[in-house]
Amino acid sequence: MAMPLRQTIRVGTYLFEQKVLRRREKFPLIVELEPLFACNLKCEGCGKIQHPAGVLKQRMPVAQAVGAVLESGAPMVSIAGGEPLMHPQIDEIVRQLVAKRKYVFLCTNAMLLRKKMDSFTPSPYFAFAVHIDGMRERHDESVAKEGVFDEAVAAIKEAKRRGFRVTTNSTFFNTDTPQTIIEVLNFLNDDLQVDEMMLSPAYAYEKAPDQEHFLGVEQTRELFKKAFAGGNRRRWRLNHSPLFLDFLEGRADFPCTAWAIPNYSLFGWQRPCYLMSDGYVPTYRELIEETDWSKYGRGKDPRCANCMAHCGYEPTAVLATMGSLKESLRAIKETAGGNRR
């Protein structure tokens, strides 16, 4: 992935240790931690808040959340939900993980960010990851509430002013065009000057209210091929490996490695990934050793047919990059060319 130098060295060392020194076949790159499912928005493309009211009231204890990440051994953690800033002890979860030198990305819709910002401390190990799906009208439509885009922009500016690292996460649907993608990524990259941007084609959550606007594989490839044209891909500070971006454009194809970005929630370790739920197990070891990973991926499970999400394919691209001197040098060159912060 394109990331700051310190983080690149840390993750590269970790990958070398796991793959070469320990000869492990499966290991986590980043943990998706969901300490709650409750949210203050009702996004059309998300099925998380469809859980029963009793589940939505639950909050994961700090020790349980931190313990799961340490159990996995992953160097990075993405804290999602639901809306993590609704968790009353989210600052303590972050503080303890940062103290363990884990790279923490706190995913948020930013509605509570300015209110909660005093509870956090800037650190090279910590970043707010704000969800932005388009410019004002498009974003507010996707989250089903007016004013969310403006609040997110204000929160990003304040976080940057205070010295926090800020990344963004943008999900695109079949209602998007190359131009809508270009417009929002230009805004985030050039106007707001966020540190890094992550993007993903929408995956069809089974319980998502809107089931009509998820992208198919060919639609995804055509959309990103046009959006990346004209030097945009090299210019934008994208938090993805070059091979994953090749994958989105249809210039490369990979098998799914969902085991590399495992999900831990209130229910335990979710198999096979945070996008699909075929049951839960209490330990990371059980997840890795007792899941039949050969059943999943495009061409194997019909639910995976149109999935090109980063949770399944970015790890494959990262490992492929690591295994090729040519691709490693290319990644270094493109990272430098993108002016990563």
Side-chain angles (χ1 to χ4, degrees), residues 191-211:
D191 295 24
L192 290 187
Q193 297 185 13
V194 300
D195 293 277
E196 295 166 331
M197 303 176 293
M198 188 170 73
L199 46 84
S200 183
Y203 174 82
Y205 280 103
E206 183 180 355
K207 294 184 178 181
D210 181 357
Q211 290 290 317

Side-chain angles (χ1 to χ4, degrees), residues 214-279:
F214 294 103
L215 287 160
V217 171
E218 292 306 317
Q219 287 178 299
T220 297
R221 289 170 174 167
E222 189 66 19
L223 183 65
F224 286 107
K225 184 184 299 182
K226 291 179 179 178
F228 289 159
N232 287 329
R233 172 175 155 173
R234 295 287 299 274
R235 185 173 59 81
W236 290 329
R237 290 184 296 279
L238 297 175
N239 187 23
H240 294 290
S241 64
L243 279 179
F244 180 72
L245 299 179
D246 286 351
F247 170 74
L248 290 182
E249 288 190 71
R251 295 165 55 189
D253 203 6
F254 301 113
C256 174
T257 50
W259 46 263
I261 305 186
N263 173 270
Y264 185 78
S265 71
L266 294 165
F267 300 144
W269 293 98
Q270 182 173 325
R271 59 163 59 117
C273 65
Y274 81 94
L275 298 173
M276 291 166 49
S277 180
D278 284 355

Side-chain angles (χ1 to χ4, degrees), residues 30 38-39 72 75 88 92 97 102 106 110 203 210 228 274 310 313 315 320 332:
I30 181 170
C39 190
S72 75
E92 183 61 18
L97 289 171
K102 301 296 182 183
L106 194 157
Y203 174 82
D210 181 357
F228 289 159
Y274 81 94
H310 71 278
Y313 297 96
I332 293 171

Side-chain angles (χ1 to χ4, degrees), residues 28 30 52-53 63 65 67 76 94 96 103 171 179 223 226 253:
I30 181 170
M76 300 182 288
V94 169
Q96 291 194 24
Y103 285 93
T171 304
Q179 188 57 36
L223 183 65
K226 291 179 179 178
D253 203 6

Side-chain angles (χ1 to χ4, degrees), residues 23 72 87 115 125 138 153-154 159 164 197 200 205 222 229 277 298 305-306 332:
R23 299 184 181 277
S72 75
H87 194 295
K115 179 180 178 180
Y125 290 98
R138 196 165 198 80
V153 168
F164 287 99
M197 303 176 293
S200 183
Y205 280 103
E222 189 66 19
S277 180
R298 284 187 287 118
N306 289 313
I332 293 171

Side-chain angles (χ1 to χ4, degrees), residues 129-325:
V130 180
H131 204 98
I132 300 287
D133 281 348
M135 298 302 288
R136 180 181 291 108
E137 181 179 352
R138 196 165 198 80
H139 180 72
D140 287 356
E141 181 182 7
S142 73
V143 301
K145 186 174 183 178
E146 293 184 4
V148 177
F149 177 85
D150 288 339
E151 178 58 35
V153 168
I156 289 172
K157 289 179 178 179
E158 179 62 13
K160 293 285 291 178
R161 187 188 70 80
R162 295 194 191 191
F164 287 99
R165 290 189 65 233
V166 180
T167 68
T168 55
N169 182 11
S170 300
T171 304
F172 298 110
F173 297 80
N174 66 9
T175 49
D176 278 291
T177 66
Q179 188 57 36
T180 63
I181 294 177
I182 291 169
E183 286 175 357
V184 69
L185 295 185
N186 277 345
F187 176 73
L188 297 173
N189 190 85
D190 302 335
D191 295 24
L192 290 187
Q193 297 185 13
V194 300
D195 293 277
E196 295 166 331
M197 303 176 293
M198 188 170 73
L199 46 84
S200 183
Y203 174 82
Y205 280 103
E206 183 180 355
K207 294 184 178 181
D210 181 357
Q211 290 290 317
E212 298 179 5
H213 297 124
F214 294 103
L215 287 160
V217 171
E218 292 306 317
Q219 287 178 299
T220 297
R221 289 170 174 167
E222 189 66 19
L223 183 65
F224 286 107
K225 184 184 299 182
K226 291 179 179 178
F228 289 159
N232 287 329
R233 172 175 155 173
R234 295 287 299 274
R235 185 173 59 81
W236 290 329
R237 290 184 296 279
L238 297 175
N239 187 23
H240 294 290
S241 64
L243 279 179
F244 180 72
L245 299 179
D246 286 351
F247 170 74
L248 290 182
E249 288 190 71
R251 295 165 55 189
D253 203 6
F254 301 113
C256 174
T257 50
W259 46 263
I261 305 186
N263 173 270
Y264 185 78
S265 71
L266 294 165
F267 300 144
W269 293 98
Q270 182 173 325
R271 59 163 59 117
C273 65
Y274 81 94
L275 298 173
M276 291 166 49
S277 180
D278 284 355
Y280 299 84
V281 292
T283 68
Y284 174 73
R285 173 172 287 186
E286 288 175 85
L287 174 73
I288 294 301
E289 296 181 356
E290 298 180 12
T291 302
D292 185 359
W293 300 101
S294 66
K295 296 193 309 182
Y296 301 104
R298 284 187 287 118
K300 298 177 181 180
D301 187 313
R303 294 171 298 176
C304 305
N306 289 313
C307 180
M308 296 181 72
H310 71 278
C311 65
Y313 297 96
E314 176 76 84
T316 325
V318 170
L319 293 172
T321 299
M322 179 185 173
S324 166
L325 177 59

